[in-house]
Amino acid sequence: MPALPSHFDLSGRTALITGGAGLLGPQHAAAILEVGGRVVLGDVDLPRASEAAERLCSEFGADSARALALDVTSPESVAEALARSEEAGGVEILINNAAINPQVSAEGIAASRLETFSLAEWDRQLAVGLSGAFLCSQSFGTRMAERGRGVILNVASDLALIAPDQRIYRQEGLAEHEQPTKPVCYSVIKSGLIGLTRYLAGYWAKDGVRVNAISPGGVQTDQPEDFVQRLCDLIPLGRMAALDEYRAAVQFLCSDGSRYMTGQNLVVAGGRTIL
């Protein structure tokens, strides 16, 4: 196997991944570990994060991953996470991955449709997906700037660039006002993350902190076949992403391979946004 190019080597660097126990959190962690880094999985669900960290350690070696209790909506929790990270040597990479991604189904339609979407749910989702990224960037990014180096990666979405095509969620036999939809918050939050990326990139450019975003497309898991087919019909490459298919992009954005890149949004969505 050829040696890893030095500009992708993350040996000696630690990445904190928020929402580390979710669907993509362990994948982002594996991406960092594959190129020599260490990871901290921050999540409000500490037992689940600990299980994920144990699985990663069994694959990549003891002490390569650890879990950390982190509620990104709480300034106190973020401050405590920063203090504990500093005690362990500090964090050079922050991946803002925490989000609420509501599943679209016939159940709870009234709560998902724009006409009846509650302010309480709006506030809850923004608190995690957007305010949480701000709080973590504010705390960990400020420390990076003081050190003169660091990388922040915000996990956005192809739906930051295009509106959800609500037709792919339609169910036969339901009236228009009963059709399930992708809720409004998801696109708003992911669009906001790209704006936050540009702001922070400009703000900390002189301090050696690079800030970029990645906009992944949908990952195929156990979705209904008719939904998958409808979505794939909108994607030029004709398929959804495999679970591990974003690892190389994360490695690029978190390493010196992208050292002359900041404030950018890398779209990895099978070409869906070009149509």
Side-chain angles (χ1 to χ4, degrees), residues 100 129 149 173 215 244-245:
I100 296 173
R149 65 185 186 280
S215 282
D244 63 354
E245 206 152 13

Side-chain angles (χ1 to χ4, degrees), residues 17 19-31 41 52 55-56 247:
I17 302 164
L23 177 66
L24 287 180
Q27 294 298 321
H28 301 329
L41 302 180
R55 290 194 299 271
L56 290 165
R247 290 189 188 182

